[in-house]
Amino acid sequence: AMISARHLAKYQQALDDHLNAAAHLRRYDSIHAAALRAGYPGPFHDEGVAYAIWMDACNATGYQLLAEIEAGTRAPLSVDDFIALLPALELT
């Protein structure tokens, strides 16, 4: 069963929103602003590394899920179920 581009975009938007919402918890503008801190020494470096690793893990898992849905090896998921399958963010 082919998944429509519109449906794929819905999952991608949900993933982006999920990543950004987690970054907002620590007052970053976006997941990219949070992950950027990983590249620099300073008080936010370790937090930035945690966000960057989590962002990559979520993207890898999300893309794998979407590939399985596109291939028909996984039934289409609700957006909530899709997000629930992503790795959890672990901040100290």
Side-chain angles (χ1 to χ4, degrees):
M2 277 300 293
I3 186 168
S4 70
R6 183 177 60 78
H7 211 75
L8 279 176
K10 189 171 71 172
Y11 288 119
Q12 185 63 57
Q13 186 62 56
L15 175 58
D16 292 345
D17 291 347
H18 179 66
L19 295 173
N20 287 322
H24 296 160
L25 294 173
R26 294 283 173 99
R27 298 187 176 167
Y28 294 105
D29 292 341
S30 70
I31 188 62
H32 300 108
L36 184 68
R37 298 288 145 328
Y40 303 95
F44 304 108
H45 172 80
D46 291 347
E47 192 169 270
V49 170
Y51 272 113
I53 289 170
W54 177 69
M55 176 179 64
D56 284 352
C58 284
N59 282 326
T61 300
Y63 299 151
Q64 180 62 41
L65 291 170
L66 294 181
E68 291 171 9
I69 292 168
E70 271 195 294
T73 58
R74 179 184 287 273
L77 298 163
S78 70
V79 167
D80 287 344
D81 287 344
F82 172 73
I83 295 299
L85 290 171
L86 299 176
L89 174 61
E90 294 178 21
L91 295 173
T92 52

